[in-house]
């Protein structure tokens, strides 16, 4: 049971780590093209200070759909 909890916790931690803006732009293609277009837009900086990051639109919230999308993206 302890091993199962540790594995589940590790998987959940990995999912959260791969849902960060830093992880998304770690690929040279994203940093040089997409991220440069994103900087300075309303999604990056606005009056309220709320930022919309890549996972907000490109990663589903329900866990099973999130896993499926992460597997597809790893190709």
């Amino acid at each position: 049971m302890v091993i199962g909890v540790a594995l589940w916790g590790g998987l959940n931690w990995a999912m959260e780590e791969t849902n960060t803006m830093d992880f998304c732009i770690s690929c040279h293609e994203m940093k040089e093209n997409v991220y440069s277009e994103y900087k300075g837009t309303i999604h990056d900086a606005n009056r309220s200070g709320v930022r919309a990051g890549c996972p907000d639109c490109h990663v589903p919230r329900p866990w099973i759909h999130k896993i499926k999308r992460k597997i597809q993206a790893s190709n």
Side-chain angles (χ1 to χ4, degrees):
M1 187 164 168
V2 172
I3 292 171
V5 169
L7 288 173
W8 184 262
L11 180 62
N12 226 9
W13 174 81
M15 286 289 121
E16 292 305 314
E17 286 298 308
T18 59
N19 269 354
T20 63
M21 183 69 89
D22 290 334
F23 180 82
C24 291
I25 63 170
S26 65
C27 164
H28 71 90
E29 184 177 310
M30 291 297 288
K31 190 167 195 154
E32 293 169 5
N33 298 316
V34 178
Y35 187 63
S36 62
E37 292 176 14
Y38 166 82
K39 297 275 299 167
T41 66
I42 195 74
H43 293 92
D44 179 39
N46 57 50
R47 290 189 311 245
S48 64
V50 177
R51 279 178 84 182
C54 300
D56 293 328
C57 297
H58 297 281
V59 179
R61 297 219 187 269
W63 199 80
I64 192 70
H65 300 294
K66 183 186 295 188
I67 294 288
K68 183 179 176 186
R69 181 67 191 112
K70 296 285 184 175
I71 290 169
Q72 289 172 340
S74 68
N75 290 335

